[in-house]
């Protein structure tokens, strides 16, 4: 029984589409979020804290778009105030935190919010944030749509291994 090329082409086309779909699903989990066409967040976490206290949120923001953007705000339902801050050191070596209006996100680039640098402060917590909880933070951008991310709450001991805030 011989198959003609013209009969094989449709079969090969279907097999190729199925293979591509499988590869796309497998690779999408392993491809860096920076490779997406928009803004994406990875490694999002916050420090545990008691109600009425404060915590900080950290993450990496990737801007896979063709134009620059900026993180310009954040909101957290479990806090009286949510602000973007940056840790600064003065001429005498004294460290302090100060609010900042924005975190720049260059086209095709990223920004890391980390202990000792830029971060999101969650102030006046209305509930405890215990280690192993997951809470949601909504980020506001200059151009991109708001993005709600899940923050893994880490114990103070675990958070301390990520350097001081």
């Amino acid at each position: 029984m011989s198959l003609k090329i013209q009969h094989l082409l449709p079969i090969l086309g279907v097999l190729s589409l199925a293979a591509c779909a499988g590869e796309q699903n497998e690779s999408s989990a392993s491809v860096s979020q920076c490779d997406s066409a928009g803004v994406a967040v990875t490694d999002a976490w916050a420090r545990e804290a008691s109600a009425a206290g404060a915590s900080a949120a950290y993450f990496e923001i990737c801007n896979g778009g063709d134009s620059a953007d900026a993180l310009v705000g954040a909101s957290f339902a479990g806090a009286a105030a949510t602000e973007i801050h940056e840790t600064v050191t003065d001429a005498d070596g004294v460290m302090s935190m100060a609010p900042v209006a924005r975190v720049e996100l260059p086209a095709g680039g990223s920004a890391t919010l980390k202990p000792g640098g830029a971060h999101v402060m969650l102030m006046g917590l209305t509930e405890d944030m215990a280690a192993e909880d997951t809470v949601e933070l909504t980020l506001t951008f200059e151009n991109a749509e708001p993005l709600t991310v899940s923050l893994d709450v880490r114990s103070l001991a675990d958070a301390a291994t990520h350097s001081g805030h």
Side-chain angles (χ1 to χ4, degrees):
M1 177 181 201
S2 89
L3 290 174
K4 294 185 178 179
I5 296 286
Q6 66 195 49
H7 293 121
L8 284 176
L9 289 177
I11 294 169
L12 290 174
V14 169
L15 291 174
S16 295
L17 287 174
C20 288
E23 287 173 16
Q24 187 175 24
N25 289 337
E26 290 175 13
S27 66
S28 65
S30 62
V31 170
S32 165
Q33 293 297 320
C34 288
D35 293 338
S36 69
V39 175
V41 171
T42 57
D43 193 28
W45 64 280
R47 294 179 185 218
E48 71 179 341
S50 298
S55 182
Y58 310 101
F59 42 88
E60 181 166 352
I61 308 171
C62 303
N63 178 7
D66 293 334
S67 58
D69 206 338
L71 174 66
V72 295
S75 61
F76 179 66
T82 307
E83 298 177 351
I84 304 168
H85 280 205
E86 187 167 53
T87 304
V88 294
T89 305
D90 68 15
D92 296 325
V94 177
M95 292 180 73
S96 63
M97 290 184 296
V100 294
R102 59 194 294 119
V103 174
E104 298 296 332
L105 299 169
S110 64
T112 302
L113 283 74
K114 62 184 180 180
H119 54 278
V120 175
M121 286 297 302
L122 312 172
M123 300 171 293
L125 296 175
T126 58
E127 296 179 6
D128 291 346
M129 288 177 45
E132 299 184 24
D133 283 352
T134 301
V135 297
E136 290 189 342
L137 175 71
T138 300
L139 304 175
T140 306
F141 300 93
E142 187 170 69
N143 300 312
E145 293 294 318
L147 178 65
T148 298
V149 298
S150 294
L151 302 171
D152 295 326
V153 179
R154 296 183 181 170
S155 70
L156 293 176
D158 187 33
T161 64
H162 290 84
S163 78
H165 167 348

